[in-house]
Amino acid sequence: MSAVYNIWNEYSKYYNFNLISLRKFIWSFTRLKDLTTACEALQHLVALVFRGDSNIKISDEGKMVIPKLDVPIPILSNQDNNNTMFNPKVVGFDVNKVNTVGTVMGNPKSILVTKILRLSFTDVIRACVPFKNDELAEQLFYQMQNLGVKPSRAAFDGFIRVLVKERGFHDGIEVLNLMKQRNLKPHDSTFAAISVGCSESLEMDLAEAFLDQMAQSKSAHPYNKLLEACDTQDQPERGVHIFGKMKQLKIAPTIKTYELLFSLFGNVNAPYENGNILSQAEATTRINAIEDDMMRNGIQHSYVSIRNLLKALGSEGMISGLLHYLRVAENQFTPGTPIYNIVLHSLIEAKEDQTAINVFKTLLSHGYRPNDVTCNIMIDCCSISRSFKSAQGLIAMMIRYGYPPQTQTYTSLLKLVLASEDFDEALNLLNQACSEGIQLDAVLFNTIIDVASQKDRIDIIEFVMDRMHKERVPPDPATCGHVFTAYVNQGFHNTAMEALQVMSMHMLSEEDINKNKTDFEDLIYSEDSEAESRVLDLFKDSKENLAVALLNLRWCAMVGNPISWLTSQSQWVKRLAATNSFR
């Protein structure tokens, strides 16, 4: 870059610029990612064309001849130079001078002049992509047309790519349609950019359709983006199809491909299901197949691929594999605390508390600093061994490292004290958590409600539910299940239905109710056989709470309970508040 600057300064000092020299400078500046100077050179180029001073000679063979630069004549005074400095944010071409340009284009050299302009504008437009400067690209794209220069496929490619990055795939498709109207065939990179934009917006059908229009696919990037969308939407079947296309088209996978494959296929069970012998055997087969493919393509594990693999093994409860790949991570990388947290969490889920303690000691011995997540996991470990003293030591460690107890910490402590069915201490911890001003969640309250439901302690449940209402913490499906079951087990069926209705209402936000109340009522009361399927479709959009709330309310309506949106008028809510006001 410094060499090009020196040449640029020397050239401007001793020689007149011509179209060919400016063209080469613009090419250099854009390749070296100096958008500002490239735009300045482009303005010089256009200014020469305005003056009709193209300074181009044509050989007998019809080729451009670069004139000899043997007379040092300064091109601009300081004042002129300041006047022509180019602001990359505002393209300063005078579009009223199009007629002047048209006159220049009318001479025998017009084809060559047009070619130089087109190439130079295209270079600068494409240089806007890494800078995400969609405004400049748009101005250049339309101003080159005002100058009588039709954009090339490459100019369209640069413009579409920066539009997709900054404004979304819809804008890119609009310009693509304009391109097709002019009978210009898009580059593969154009289709790839729009496909990536569609994948990022989770429009997977469109993303795949644009991939299919590519003539010669070589890059794995757009396919990886589509695999990433499959992972986000939990569509492993589609992921198999996309990876199969990559194989068929002989597109070499990258490490990113394998990172996504481990995330998509490493575990077999759906969320909330525990691993078993069959699922673990299938997971092993899949993981081995992915690793074999990595070896065939000469790709080593990355930090992310190991991390995703550890998550998959942990979700299947495959402890020996988990520990094996932890050792792989320790040998190949600097694992860091996050990797150990994944392993520790999986070990606690599998009730492998002693192994978790050993891994925690390894973390400390390697010089890694535990964070708040680590300490909360290990407090969960204490609930298995029922060691309150160890939990207190971990809390002291958290505070020493600058991590004050948060909701997850109190949740872990509640699990510990409830292991001994100490409801008094549990309620004290709940009150303390509420007084700390931290962000409370349903999981904290559910920890007490779950154990109270198992022990038929309706008094505890009602106290916790009242506190939950007062703290404006919405319940979740687990809350509904625990409370409903507790009332039913005690034979309080009417109360169970009323509580279920109120909790389901509280799972919906006020904004949702105000905006969609009529639609919700249609789904709740509809006798259409497809109504329930429409509610279940909400699970696909990760709207679990909304789906469960509507299904609960639909059930309440089906058994004859009138649905009221005014939960404050519920006798159950009033009774909870009155009963617990004396505590």
Side-chain angles (χ1 to χ4, degrees):
M1 191 72 246
S2 60
V4 175
Y5 286 151
N6 289 336
I7 297 170
W8 168 260
N9 291 328
E10 288 290 305
Y11 197 110
S12 63
K13 182 177 180 182
Y14 294 115
Y15 301 109
N16 284 325
F17 283 106
N18 59 60
L19 300 188
I20 299 171
S21 59
L22 284 170
R23 159 80 193 118
K24 292 184 180 294
F25 275 118
I26 291 167
W27 183 91
S28 298
F29 289 132
T30 56
R31 294 310 188 277
L32 294 168
K33 295 181 173 56
D34 182 353
L35 186 57
T36 302
T37 314
C39 287
E40 182 184 341
L42 180 60
Q43 187 171 4
H44 285 312
L45 178 66
V46 174
L48 287 182
V49 176
F50 280 159
R51 296 200 301 263
D53 186 12
S54 61
N55 206 18
I56 291 180
K57 293 182 179 180
I58 310 298
S59 69
D60 294 337
E61 293 81 15
K63 295 181 179 180
M64 290 182 288
V65 178
I66 301 176
K68 293 182 179 179
L69 305 173
D70 54 358
V71 181
I73 302 175
I75 179 173
L76 298 169
S77 67
N78 288 337
Q79 182 178 359
D80 292 334
N81 194 38
N82 289 335
N83 289 338
T84 57
M85 285 301 288
F86 192 78
N87 182 349
K89 294 184 178 178
V90 181
V91 183
F93 302 140
D94 186 348
V95 295
N96 294 323
K97 296 183 179 179
V98 173
N99 290 334
T100 306
V101 178
T103 303
V104 176
M105 299 300 184
N107 65 41
K109 303 171 186 176
S110 64
I111 295 176
L112 296 173
V113 173
T114 303
K115 181 178 179 180
I116 290 174
L117 283 170
R118 180 182 294 113
L119 289 171
S120 299
F121 268 94
T122 298
D123 282 343
V124 182
I125 288 170
R126 298 188 81 171
C128 292
V129 179
F131 290 96
K132 301 179 182 179
N133 195 334
D134 55 308
E135 292 183 6
L136 175 59
E138 184 174 32
Q139 292 177 45
L140 289 170
F141 182 79
Y142 289 111
Q143 287 181 356
M144 71 186 292
Q145 295 174 83
N146 289 335
L147 295 172
V149 181
K150 293 181 179 179
S152 63
R153 296 166 63 204
F156 271 102
D157 176 69
F159 185 35
I160 288 172
R161 284 194 288 138
V162 74
L163 280 182
V164 171
K165 273 189 174 183
E166 293 306 296
R167 304 184 193 177
F169 70 91
H170 292 291
D171 288 59
I173 291 175
E174 283 186 20
V175 179
L176 180 68
N177 291 334
L178 176 63
M179 190 178 183
K180 290 179 177 178
Q181 289 171 15
R182 300 184 183 184
N183 295 318
L184 290 174
K185 184 179 179 182
H187 287 304
D188 281 350
S189 55
T190 307
F191 288 129
I194 298 177
S195 176
V196 167
C198 294
S199 293
E200 289 175 343
S201 298
L202 303 180
E203 294 287 348
M204 291 186 282
D205 290 338
L206 268 179
E208 190 170 352
F210 281 109
L211 281 183
D212 290 342
Q213 294 183 62
M214 294 168 64
Q216 219 175 5
S217 305
K218 291 183 179 179
S219 171
H221 176 64
Y223 291 90
N224 289 344
K225 280 292 182 181
L226 190 46
L227 284 172
E228 191 173 338
C230 293
D231 189 27
T232 301
Q233 293 293 90
D234 192 24
Q235 295 188 15
E237 296 83 3
R238 187 164 202 156
V240 172
H241 168 68
I242 298 303
F243 187 59
K245 273 192 174 182
M246 292 181 68
K247 289 286 191 180
Q248 184 181 0
L249 296 170
K250 296 182 179 179
I251 298 170
T254 63
I255 183 57
K256 180 68 175 178
T257 313
Y258 294 112
E259 290 168 358
L260 291 164
L261 291 180
F262 283 122
S263 183
L264 270 166
F265 309 119
N267 63 296
V268 176
N269 284 313
Y272 316 119
E273 291 183 2
N274 294 323
N276 54 55
I277 294 175
L278 294 177
S279 68
Q280 291 175 357
E282 175 63 20
T284 301
T285 302
R286 293 181 183 185
I287 290 168
N288 290 341
I290 296 170
E291 286 198 313
D292 288 346
D293 204 73
M294 287 177 70
M295 290 180 63
R296 281 193 294 272
N297 286 285
I299 295 177
Q300 298 293 320
H301 269 294
S302 69
Y303 182 91
V304 176
S305 69
I306 286 287
R307 184 195 66 193
N308 291 348
L309 182 49
L310 288 170
K311 286 182 178 178
L313 292 165
S315 65
E316 288 291 340
M318 299 168 67
I319 302 305
S320 59
L322 188 76
L323 297 176
H324 167 73
Y325 282 99
L326 175 60
R327 288 191 292 272
V328 171
E330 289 172 338
N331 292 332
Q332 294 187 10
F333 315 106
T334 303
T337 303
I339 287 288
Y340 281 100
N341 286 347
I342 293 170
V343 176
L344 288 170
H345 173 75
S346 300
L347 291 171
I348 299 306
E349 287 291 302
K351 307 297 182 185
E352 295 279 350
D353 54 311
Q354 191 55 54
T355 307
I357 292 169
N358 293 335
V359 170
F360 181 66
K361 289 178 179 177
T362 302
L363 179 151
L364 295 174
S365 67
H366 287 177
Y368 298 118
R369 176 174 170 171
N371 57 23
D372 56 334
V373 176
T374 319
C375 294
N376 285 325
I377 292 170
M378 293 311 295
I379 293 171
D380 271 344
C381 180
C382 295
S383 67
I384 299 174
S385 60
R386 301 190 180 186
S387 175
F388 196 78
K389 185 177 180 180
S390 297
Q392 289 176 318
L394 287 162
I395 292 173
M397 179 186 290
M398 287 179 67
I399 295 172
R400 186 167 64 251
Y401 287 148
Y403 302 114
Q406 297 295 318
T407 304
Q408 188 179 348
T409 313
Y410 282 104
T411 302
S412 300
L413 288 172
L414 284 172
K415 290 179 183 177
L416 177 55
V417 299
L418 288 169
S420 304
E421 300 180 25
D422 189 345
F423 287 107
D424 289 337
E425 183 59 29
L427 295 181
N428 288 335
L429 284 170
L430 178 63
N431 289 333
Q432 185 178 342
C434 293
S435 65
E436 289 289 335
I438 58 180
Q439 186 68 44
L440 305 172
D441 60 22
V443 177
L444 175 74
F445 293 89
N446 290 346
T447 305
I448 304 176
I449 293 171
D450 181 19
V451 179
S453 177
Q454 295 174 32
K455 303 300 178 183
D456 296 327
R457 291 293 302 271
I458 289 179
D459 59 325
I460 299 294
I461 290 174
E462 293 187 340
F463 174 81
V464 174
M465 287 305 304
D466 180 59
R467 194 63 190 263
M468 196 174 188
H469 293 162
K470 288 175 179 175
E471 298 293 336
R472 297 184 178 275
V473 177
D476 64 10
T479 318
C480 296
H482 298 322
V483 175
F484 182 82
T485 301
Y487 281 125
V488 169
N489 287 343
Q490 293 294 304
F492 301 132
H493 299 110
N494 291 336
T495 305
M497 294 304 294
E498 185 181 1
L500 182 64
Q501 183 181 146
V502 170
M503 289 186 292
S504 299
M505 290 288 187
H506 287 172
M507 287 169 68
L508 305 173
S509 68
E510 290 184 15
E511 182 182 353
D512 279 341
I513 293 174
N514 293 334
K515 186 178 179 181
N516 304 303
K517 183 177 177 181
T518 302
D519 292 335
F520 288 164
E521 288 179 342
D522 288 343
L523 285 170
I524 291 167
Y525 292 110
S526 175
E527 296 182 5
D528 180 5
S529 59
E530 295 298 318
E532 205 154 285
S533 296
R534 293 200 299 274
V535 177
L536 292 172
D537 284 340
L538 294 169
F539 282 102
K540 298 177 183 178
D541 298 327
S542 301
K543 297 178 179 178
E544 178 184 320
N545 284 7
L546 176 58
V548 171
L550 292 176
L551 287 174
N552 287 344
L553 292 172
R554 183 172 167 81
W555 184 40
C556 290
M558 288 172 65
V559 297
N561 285 61
I563 303 299
S564 170
W565 297 97
L566 300 174
T567 58
S568 60
Q569 301 302 312
S570 163
Q571 293 301 313
W572 179 66
V573 172
K574 290 180 179 179
R575 183 169 58 79
L576 293 186
T579 302
N580 292 304
S581 63
F582 298 106
R583 278 183 175 265

